[in-house]
Amino acid sequence: MRLLHTSDWHLGRSFHRVGMLGAQADFIGHLVTTVREHAVDVVVVSGDVYDRAVPPLGAVELFDDALHRLAGLGVPTVMISGNHDSARRLGVGAGLIDRAGIHLRTEPAACGTPVVLADPHGDVAFYGLPYLEPALVKDEFAVPKPGHEAVLAAAMERVRADLAGRAPGTRSVVLAHAFVTGGEASDSERDITVGGVAAVPAGVFGGVDYVALGHLHGCQTITERVRYSGSPLAYSFSEAEHRKSMWLVDLDASGAVTAERVDCPVPRALARIRGPLERLLADPALARHEEAWVEATLTDPVRPADPMARLAERFPHTLSLVFDPERAPDDPGLSYAARLADRSDQQIAEDFVAHVRGAGPDERERDVLRDAFDAVRADDAVREVAR
């Protein structure tokens, strides 16, 4: 059976104020062409179909168009909700859409009930694990303390229990939306940390033939059987070096996996350039970036006059301007944002306690801070679902 694994479409998202709906429509067209030209048997979409719980109308229309075109090919599609989606909204009409071969899996309680598809070698069971927000699903999975590893492990127990009751030789594919240990993040994913932990070990997914992951935006291989497709488009300059693609996965009669990448269309190249303004304007080596979307980081000791206008004369598609004078880490002139770069909310709060009190928090106080951050994040998730 041949699968096309994709995820993280983020329909409706912009890139630094540049609307991406046209580029997203081009990707959908490319997806449909790939399915047809590569004789794909099943499309799997591992969450974050939309960029937010209440997407703009244009994004909804594009999603509707994608469903009609995929259904028109007669190729089944299995799709789960991600942490950016409203599972309840995405799942509306799932029963009816199911009849057209589009299988939406947005209910955590149904993660042990697969979509079963067949090829000449027998059945393949597709298990959809939508994004499992620990605070919202801990009761469903009867875990004593909410955490990503605990709820995913409980969900996978249901998957393995169902698989054990099926005919010998039944192959299995799991779709999941999670941060798996060993994956490389970018700046454009929403933080899903709970209890100070965001990642879960790949071993949680043991016992199945292929795990189609979503959430991280870089295409990557965790193990031969556990892979991220990544987002089809770049959504931050941290993805400038990404090769955007989908996985074309072949599952043979024994469940062995072979996979190759299918590149996605690139609407415009990304470039990150850094240095004093005058050098950036004059350096001939930067000519290759003149038609790219550019993030320019200026290292001049004093902010130059009209830097954006001057950059735009050479790089008309400059979207981001960062001022970062080269200074020592303890320089009092270092900006507040620079001092906080790469520090988590928990670390910032602990530093604040140390600054005010003269000593950092003890272990009990760290737990209180961690629980407070988790409660706020969980409340945000509940409010977004309820919108």
Side-chain angles (χ1 to χ4, degrees):
M1 185 172 285
R2 173 163 286 184
L3 323 176
L4 185 64
H5 168 198
T6 177
S7 72
D8 295 273
W9 295 356
H10 289 278
L11 300 182
R13 187 164 186 161
S14 297
F15 182 78
H16 288 267
R17 305 176 306 281
V18 175
M20 297 293 284
L21 208 57
Q24 291 169 340
D26 290 343
F27 161 69
I28 296 299
H30 171 68
L31 171 72
V32 171
T33 298
T34 300
V35 171
R36 185 171 55 246
E37 293 183 351
H38 289 268
V40 170
D41 297 306
V42 186
V43 176
V44 296
V45 186
S46 299
D48 282 353
V49 174
Y50 291 123
D51 189 55
R52 55 182 186 265
V54 184
L57 179 59
V60 177
E61 291 173 340
L62 180 54
F63 179 58
D64 181 65
D65 177 63
L67 295 186
H68 278 85
R69 294 173 74 178
L70 288 169
L73 291 173
V75 174
T77 297
V78 184
M79 184 178 296
I80 62 173
S81 50
N83 61 302
H84 280 250
D85 299 308
S86 166
R88 292 170 63 185
R89 285 186 172 82
L90 188 64
V92 168
L96 288 173
I97 296 172
D98 195 80
R99 299 178 187 178
I102 307 293
H103 308 284
L104 295 173
R105 291 297 181 262
T106 63
E107 291 290 336
C111 64
T113 304
V115 176
V116 180
L117 303 171
D119 68 6
H121 305 293
D123 288 345
V124 181
F126 290 79
Y127 297 90
L129 277 57
Y131 172 66
L132 302 175
E133 171 57 52
L136 302 183
V137 302
K138 62 182 178 65
D139 294 335
E140 168 64 34
F141 293 106
V143 296
K145 187 174 181 181
H148 290 293
E149 183 173 356
V151 297
L152 275 169
M156 283 302 299
E157 285 178 7
R158 295 187 185 184
V159 168
R160 285 186 284 267
D162 179 84
L163 192 57
R166 297 192 173 272
T170 299
R171 289 155 293 162
S172 53
V173 175
V174 166
L175 289 73
H177 198 84
F179 190 163
V180 175
T181 303
E184 183 177 343
S186 64
D187 293 343
S188 54
E189 298 109 5
R190 184 180 295 170
D191 182 26
I192 58 171
T193 300
V194 174
V197 178
V200 299
V204 164
F205 297 104
V208 296
D209 293 310
Y210 184 70
V211 182
L213 292 174
H215 180 57
L216 299 184
H217 288 184
C219 182
Q220 48 202 298
T221 300
I222 305 301
T223 72
E224 285 304 305
R225 295 186 182 272
V226 181
R227 298 171 188 264
Y228 283 99
S229 66
S231 60
L233 297 166
Y235 292 114
S236 72
F237 277 103
S238 65
E239 301 167 60
E241 301 302 320
H242 286 189
R243 173 189 164 195
K244 294 300 183 181
S245 59
M246 303 176 283
W247 284 113
L248 197 63
V249 178
D250 286 312
L251 200 63
D252 75 8
S254 68
V257 169
T258 57
E260 63 176 293
R261 294 172 72 174
V262 178
D263 290 331
C264 294
V266 178
R268 190 178 294 277
L270 305 186
R272 303 179 103 173
I273 60 177
R274 179 185 179 90
L277 178 59
E278 295 301 332
R279 183 176 69 76
L280 298 184
L281 295 177
D283 189 349
L286 299 180
R288 68 186 188 278
H289 300 315
E290 290 176 355
E291 294 303 316
W293 279 324
V294 168
E295 178 186 72
T297 299
L298 303 184
T299 60
D300 304 75
V302 177
R303 187 185 297 268
D306 299 321
M308 185 59 116
R310 295 173 66 191
L311 279 166
E313 291 179 3
R314 184 179 189 192
F315 307 103
H317 304 288
T318 301
L319 298 181
S320 176
L321 178 61
V322 180
F323 186 59
D324 185 26
E326 293 180 345
R327 292 171 171 150
D330 57 352
D331 190 318
L334 198 65
S335 72
Y336 182 69
R339 292 198 299 273
L340 296 185
D342 301 322
R343 299 186 68 74
S344 67
D345 291 341
Q346 177 84 14
Q347 291 169 322
I348 293 168
E350 290 180 13
D351 287 349
F352 177 76
V353 171
H355 174 73
V356 171
R357 197 170 63 184
D362 58 28
E363 194 57 40
R364 182 186 64 82
E365 291 168 331
R366 289 192 185 94
D367 288 342
V368 169
L369 287 170
R370 190 175 297 115
D371 289 345
F373 282 121
D374 287 349
V376 170
R377 197 188 52 77
D379 184 62
D380 286 344
V382 171
R383 289 173 184 272
E384 185 154 313
V385 168
R387 289 175 64 191

